[in-house]
Structures are given as C-alpha cells and as structure tokens.
Amino acid sequence: MADFLYKGVVDWFLDQVSQEAIAPGDRMPSLRALAKQLSLSLNTVIHGYEILTEEGWIESRPKSGYFVCHRSDIKPALLLAGEALRKLTPVGSKAAWSCLAHRGALVDQSDAFLASSVRSEEVDIPVLGKGHLTVRETVSEHLKGLGIKNHASQLWLGHSPLTMLTQSIQTLTQRDDTVLVITPCDPRLASTLQSLGRQVISIAAGDRGVDLDLVVRCLQENEIKLLILPGQFAFPAGLAISNLSLRRWVAIIDELKLPTIEWDLCSHLAHRAGSLMTYKSLDSSDHIVYIGGVETKGVNRSAGWCLPGRHQSALEGAFLSVDMALSDAQQHALSEALLSTGKRSLVRRARQVWANSERIKAHLETHLQGQVSFAASKGGIGLWMKLKAPLNQQDMTALLANYRHVIVPGQLISDEPEADHWMAINVTLDDIEPLAKKLAERLSLKAKNGPETNLTNSAKSEPLDRPEKAIKSTPLTDSEAVDKKEDRKHHDASANPLYNPMLDLINHDFG
C-alpha cells in the first residue's frame, strides 16, 4: 500500500483541478506544505510531483517552485448558441469524402494505445456477435461510471463506431427522411447522413447548450425522424450542459418518442477529473441509442460499443450483417484500457492528452501571438482555434497538403457565417512545432499582404455547427499564492469573461 501513497498527491491535484481551485499557471503548494496538509511523508509528495511533472501536468521553475502547466493570457474566443436552424444543402457523398480525408485529425494519434499484448498468432481470431461477455462486463462497468445504467447483455462491441452509427441511421430512418443534428460535434455525423440520402437540419449549441425553444419549434414545424446528439465532450471543444437542460432534453424525447443517437467517443478524454452526466444516463425510456468507443490511427486499434435501448431487436440484425466483431486480441486490449490501474488505461491516456493540449495551446500562442484565440476546452481531441482573419483558399490548401491529419477546417465542423475563421487542432499530436511554424508563416504573409479572398461559399456546403458561450471565471483559492491575488484578479477580468447566469436563461438552458 505504501508504494502507492503518491497516488494520493495525484488524486488531490485532479480534485483541485475539477473544482477549479487550481488552474494552469497557478503555483503549486510547497512540498512540505502539501506533505503536512495530506499527512504524507516528504518523499511521497516528491514522488507524486515527479509523476505529475512526467505526465506534463506541472513544471518546476528554478527558485520559484512548481507551477501548473500553461495559463493563457489571451482572451478566449466566445461562442454563442445559434439563433436559427440551418437546412444543409444535399451534396451526396461529397461531404463524407471530405471528412474521411481528415480522419487522422479526428482520432487519437497514438500508435501504442489499444495495441494488443497477446501473441501475434491470436490477433486475427474472429469473435462472432456482440463480443465476449467478460469484456462486455468491463465496458458495462465503465459506462456505469458515467452514470449510465446498463447490463452487459445489452451491449454490442465492434471495431468501428462509425459502422454502428451508419447501421443505426439506415435502420431507424429511410432515404429523404429529415434528421436533426445538434452541433458542435464530429463532422462525420452530418456527412454520413448526407451520403445516405437523409435531409439534415443543424442547430448550433453554445458553451452551455442549445436554445431549446428553437429545438421545440423545429420539431413542431418539421417532420423529424431522428435526433443526433453529441456527448458532453463533443468534438471539437466540448459542452457543459446543465443537468436541468439535459432533463428537459430527455423529457422532449420521451414525449415525442423520438429515436435518438448519442455520439460519445470522448468521455474518457475529459480535461478535468470526474465525468459529466450524459443524455443516456437520464434515459429511463430507452429511446436513446448510445454509441461510444475509442478511435486511434493504428490499424485494428479502434473499438466501439453500443447500447441500442428499445431498438435492440431492430438493430441486432443490422449489426450482425456487417460482421464488425472484435478479435480476441482487440477485446483483450480494450479490457486493459478500461482498467484504471493499467499502463495503457483510458485514465492515464486522458491525463497525457490533457497535458499535451496545454502544451500545444501554449506553443501555438507563442508562435501566433495576436493572430489566434481559443475556445475553452473541456475535453476531447480537438482544440477549437479562431483565426483573427481567415486564410484564403491557397493558404488553406497548402496547409492541408501536409497537415490534413492534424487540422480540420471550420467549414467541415460549422456552417455558421464565420466558420472560415475557425479550425480544429488535434491535441494528441506529439510534435506541433512544424504546424505552428507553417501557420505563423501563412498568417504573417497574410498580414503583410492585407485582406485576401476568403474560402468560397461552395467549400462551406458540407458541415456542421459550432459551440459555445460565456466562460466562467476561475475561482482563486491557492493558499500558496496569496501574494498573487491581485494579479490573478486582473487576469480573470481581462482574459476570462465573468459568467452571467442570465445568459443561461436567455438561451433556455434551464428550461
């Protein structure tokens, strides 16, 4: 037990971050002060700080102590909920091809994650149907940790969450049916719908959710056959929807008996400790088809799971027909990842991605001073970045030629008017330096040459919507940095707009 006491330091740190009592840039308590506070030995606290340093959470500054990695001085980009629904122009499979080309930027860049540790001759042994019961029980426990009540017998496992989505859409709707998509979310959602011949209506959500009155009007005025909801840690920036708003969503779904798909591939990548409530966790009537999983760039290193709910009988034939079962080796790797104590656990990976995200943000801010700002990220794989001025078609094409696996243009994620000012950056990338230099080069060249032609409207025909709204200021409770209070108050006033609860009422998040 004593060998693992240092984990108490790590858990304390994560708890402080989750409560916003400590934030990037804050000074950590001194080693002796924390040892006294937690009733641990000095060596144990030193070991805990070493672990946090190795994983990129904190850094040591000579003669100053330890500090939480990177606190931005740049005013965050504000994203407001959309004021109108948008009917996407049918473009067939064109949008799907565009999003498929950016798949690398939508998934975990790690080659090691979900790699199998079993013998190579066992890797390709097929497993029929849903997957091994023991593995499904492990996934079931993981979902219960998210507040989702389920039983292992209800779960389906597969090698492709996107295949599960496609089969669900084809089973629950018919060609030319109208589907409502709430964005921001994975750009493959709307593109898949369009490629399957469905009519797509999108409504943009802000940081704290979507205008539910607008949703209700949309459902009254349009014959919606299916609703697709992004999870709380949606691509690219994540949401922070109130529990009351979630409950109102579920009430609407129950009243209309509307088939719904919740796409939630990023719950394991929260940028703070603990998990947020999901739509599925409140779905007592089982109208929601819950699709989750882990996607990486490695071959045969992705896994998905699905809770079909009341649509089990309709979907099981569709799932069986596409033969998406995981092999023994893939299921073994998935089980290892879901164990919090494993070297390749989702928990450990989330910490690595969180730390890497802060480093990437700091690096981009250093190279692109005054040219960019970021939406506050709550989890997931994408860093949602706003450019002061949009890149023209030539510059964007030059970027995509070498960095299609890193960036996703805003037009694929949002069809809001200023989508060309935005792009998503994959935060699981190991080396951001080449992209930062190339962006700096393009943006500095643009600044010298003056305004240029923006991306054409035709390039905006495929996509989805954008996030967010006001950002809550960070509480200041670091007892080791009393002398910095005035400076931190100034920072919060200038860099982080104060949260105004009236904005929630205006946007109907609380019903």
Side-chain angles (χ1 to χ4, degrees):
M1 182 68 70
D3 291 338
F4 301 98
L5 286 177
Y6 69 87
K7 290 185 178 178
V9 178
V10 176
D11 291 340
W12 171 86
F13 177 85
L14 295 178
D15 184 63
Q16 294 296 298
V17 172
S18 69
Q19 297 180 34
E20 298 182 345
I22 196 169
D26 288 349
R27 184 183 178 185
M28 294 284 288
S30 69
L31 296 171
R32 286 186 172 81
L34 189 59
K36 183 178 180 180
Q37 179 182 337
L38 301 180
S39 299
L40 297 173
S41 71
L42 182 59
N43 285 339
T44 298
V45 175
I46 291 174
H47 190 189
Y49 273 39
E50 287 174 349
I51 296 297
L52 291 171
T53 301
E54 289 173 3
E55 295 190 359
W57 291 84
I58 63 177
E59 61 184 3
S60 175
R61 298 178 186 174
K63 300 181 180 180
S64 298
Y66 288 88
F67 289 79
V68 183
C69 283
H70 184 59
R71 181 177 176 131
S72 175
D73 290 325
I74 297 177
K75 186 176 181 179
L78 297 181
L79 294 160
L80 300 178
E83 297 179 351
L85 60 85
R86 301 188 183 278
K87 297 183 178 181
L88 305 192
T89 304
V91 290
S93 60
K94 178 182 177 183
W97 281 111
S98 298
C99 292
L100 185 62
H102 291 275
R103 181 187 180 277
L106 303 173
V107 302
D108 197 327
Q109 297 286 325
S110 173
D111 283 321
F113 196 57
L114 279 193
S116 175
S117 59
V118 301
R119 296 192 304 272
S120 59
E121 60 266 25
E122 298 179 357
V123 169
D124 296 322
I125 297 177
V127 178
L128 298 178
K130 299 179 177 181
H132 291 312
L133 178 59
T134 53
V135 182
R136 284 186 278 128
E137 287 175 342
T138 303
V139 176
S140 176
E141 289 301 313
H142 169 72
L143 294 179
K144 288 176 182 177
L146 299 177
I148 299 175
K149 297 179 181 179
N150 70 96
H151 192 275
S153 62
Q154 303 167 328
L155 271 167
W156 281 81
L157 304 182
H159 58 74
S160 172
L162 197 57
T163 299
M164 291 178 167
L165 172 73
T166 302
Q167 292 301 310
S168 299
I169 292 171
Q170 290 181 315
T171 302
L172 299 176
T173 63
Q174 299 180 355
R175 191 174 184 84
D176 294 325
D177 279 352
T178 301
V179 180
L180 175 61
V181 180
I182 304 302
T183 60
C185 61
D186 191 317
R188 293 172 295 181
L189 300 186
S191 67
T192 298
L193 288 165
Q194 289 185 299
S195 67
L196 295 176
R198 275 56 174 179
Q199 306 299 316
V200 181
I201 295 178
S202 70
I203 299 180
D207 179 59
R208 297 178 180 275
V210 71
D211 184 337
L212 285 174
D213 282 354
L214 178 59
V215 171
V216 171
R217 289 199 301 272
C218 175
L219 294 173
Q220 291 173 342
E221 297 171 1
N222 299 274
E223 191 176 354
I224 304 297
K225 297 295 185 180
L226 178 67
L227 171 65
I228 295 186
L229 297 168
Q232 288 275 45
F233 300 120
F235 186 95
L239 304 173
I241 305 172
S242 70
N243 290 347
L244 287 176
S245 184
L246 287 175
R247 293 181 188 281
R248 188 177 174 193
W249 261 117
V250 174
I252 292 172
I253 293 170
D254 286 347
E255 181 181 353
L256 299 178
K257 295 179 171 56
L258 183 63
T260 303
I261 296 175
E262 181 175 2
W263 179 259
D264 187 24
L265 267 68
C266 290
S267 284
H268 62 287
L269 291 177
H271 290 185
R272 62 183 185 182
S275 59
L276 295 178
M277 188 176 291
T278 64
Y279 299 93
K280 185 62 177 176
S281 63
L282 299 173
D283 181 31
S284 58
S285 300
D286 265 354
H287 288 295
I288 298 177
V289 177
Y290 180 87
I291 299 176
V294 181
E295 291 185 298
T296 72
K297 69 175 183 178
V299 178
N300 295 328
R301 294 182 186 174
S302 295
W305 46 80
C306 177
L307 281 171
R310 64 171 54 223
H311 307 287
Q312 171 83 27
S313 59
L315 290 177
E316 63 180 0
F319 289 167
L320 279 171
S321 66
V322 293
D323 189 20
M324 58 184 180
L326 294 168
S327 69
D328 276 332
Q330 290 171 319
Q331 293 189 68
H332 184 268
L334 177 59
S335 294
E336 285 186 329
L338 292 175
L339 297 175
S340 59
T341 56
K343 293 182 179 180
R344 298 176 180 174
S345 71
L346 290 178
V347 174
R348 185 181 181 89
R349 182 58 182 160
R351 293 175 183 175
Q352 294 170 347
V353 172
W354 188 95
N356 200 51
S357 174
E358 293 302 304
R359 288 193 291 267
I360 287 177
K361 184 186 293 186
H363 202 85
L364 289 174
E365 286 183 357
T366 300
H367 280 74
L368 310 175
Q369 291 181 354
Q371 302 275 5
V372 298
S373 56
F374 301 96
S377 188
K378 296 153 194 73
I381 288 174
L383 181 63
W384 199 213
M385 182 173 74
K386 184 176 184 180
L387 304 176
K388 189 174 182 180
L391 294 174
N392 61 27
Q393 184 70 58
Q394 181 180 357
D395 286 338
M396 182 60 77
T397 301
L399 276 177
L400 294 180
N402 296 311
Y403 301 104
R404 194 179 295 272
H405 65 293
V406 184
I407 64 175
V408 184
Q411 293 87 350
L412 291 181
I413 300 168
S414 170
D415 40 35
E416 293 296 295
E418 293 188 351
D420 56 353
H421 285 73
W422 294 86
M423 66 173 61
I425 310 291
N426 189 300
V427 295
T428 67
L429 186 71
D430 291 330
D431 185 12
I432 196 67
E433 178 75 18
L435 174 61
K437 288 183 177 179
K438 184 62 67 174
L439 270 172
E441 175 186 321
R442 294 288 169 182
L443 291 173
S444 62
L445 183 63
K446 180 177 182 62
K448 290 179 181 178
N449 295 339
E452 298 180 75
T453 304
N454 294 342
L455 292 171
T456 61
N457 291 332
S458 62
K460 303 170 70 172
S461 60
E462 301 146 353
L464 304 176
D465 270 290
R466 68 175 191 174
E468 310 181 71
K469 197 165 49 178
I471 314 243
K472 188 175 180 180
S473 59
T474 305
L476 309 173
T477 59
D478 186 355
S479 60
E480 294 294 312
V482 175
D483 57 330
K484 295 174 60 179
K485 282 186 177 180
E486 292 303 318
D487 177 66
R488 294 174 65 187
K489 288 179 181 179
H490 173 73
H491 169 84
D492 287 334
S494 60
N496 296 318
L498 293 175
Y499 168 59
N500 183 353
M502 287 303 296
L503 291 176
D504 280 321
L505 298 178
I506 293 171
N507 283 278
H508 310 283
D509 286 338
F510 295 96

